[in-house]
Amino acid sequence: MKKIVAYLLLAALSFCLAGCSDGEKAAADPLAGTSWIADNDGSQWVFREDGSFSWYQDKEVTDDYYYAGDYTVRLGAAAVDYLVDDLSQTDELSEYGHTREWVDLLISQQAQFDSDYSLDNFICFSCDNKSYMLAGQEQLTGEWLTAYFGFIVGDADRLEIINMRTGSYYGFGREQAD
């Protein structure tokens, strides 16, 4: 009887931990299962639940003029750690590296103007580009890492980010499901 009770307790604990892990994963990945439209050119960025992404130059054309691969995302303090401790230390991105002090200053300066811009809404993600189709031809011969940081604001319907390589700003509005 004790073995059965112990087994049931273990099963219940495993179930609870699995549920907590799924909730933490969903909270940690605010991009999963979303689509975004760029303010400047109408391009579309799709982030799937499986950790893959596609960026389409034209949302109506999904078989050409696109980037695709896998993404990694962090939010809040974990985003700062990811930017400073991981991405800024990679060979590919080290020349664009940012210090913790610089990121803290960026967040605090933005928060002075709008409370949506806070540590809680700070986002950092990287895209491991595995495909780049242009005029029907694959352009990549290897993988290419691109990283972004910024804020996900307005009840998670705005994504305002900076490309870590170029320093270019991009604004996206969350595409609403039909």
Side-chain angles (χ1 to χ4, degrees), residues 34-132:
T34 63
S35 174
W36 302 82
I37 303 297
D39 296 343
N40 65 333
D41 63 7
S43 60
Q44 180 187 38
W45 212 343
V46 178
F47 297 92
R48 295 178 192 82
E49 297 280 345
D50 66 359
S52 66
F53 78 91
S54 296
W55 174 89
Y56 303 105
Q57 182 176 345
D58 179 340
K59 72 180 255 178
E60 303 300 323
V61 179
T62 60
D63 60 349
D64 204 358
Y65 303 99
Y66 68 84
Y67 284 92
D70 299 319
Y71 75 95
T72 301
V73 64
R74 301 287 187 275
L75 190 64
V80 175
D81 292 343
Y82 184 55
L83 175 60
V84 173
D85 298 335
D86 296 331
L87 292 175
S88 293
Q89 305 304 315
T90 65
D91 290 340
E92 291 179 282
L93 300 173
S94 63
E95 69 183 280
Y96 309 100
H98 299 291
T99 65
R100 190 168 303 279
E101 294 78 19
W102 183 88
V103 176
D104 289 344
L105 180 63
L106 169 75
I107 294 170
S108 67
Q109 285 180 337
Q110 293 298 322
Q112 288 179 353
F113 299 105
D114 189 330
S115 61
D116 270 351
Y117 298 86
S118 68
L119 176 61
D120 292 341
N121 296 341
F122 186 74
I123 190 168
C124 182
F125 62 97
S126 60
C127 293
D128 187 7
N129 299 288
K130 296 181 177 184
S131 179
Y132 172 40

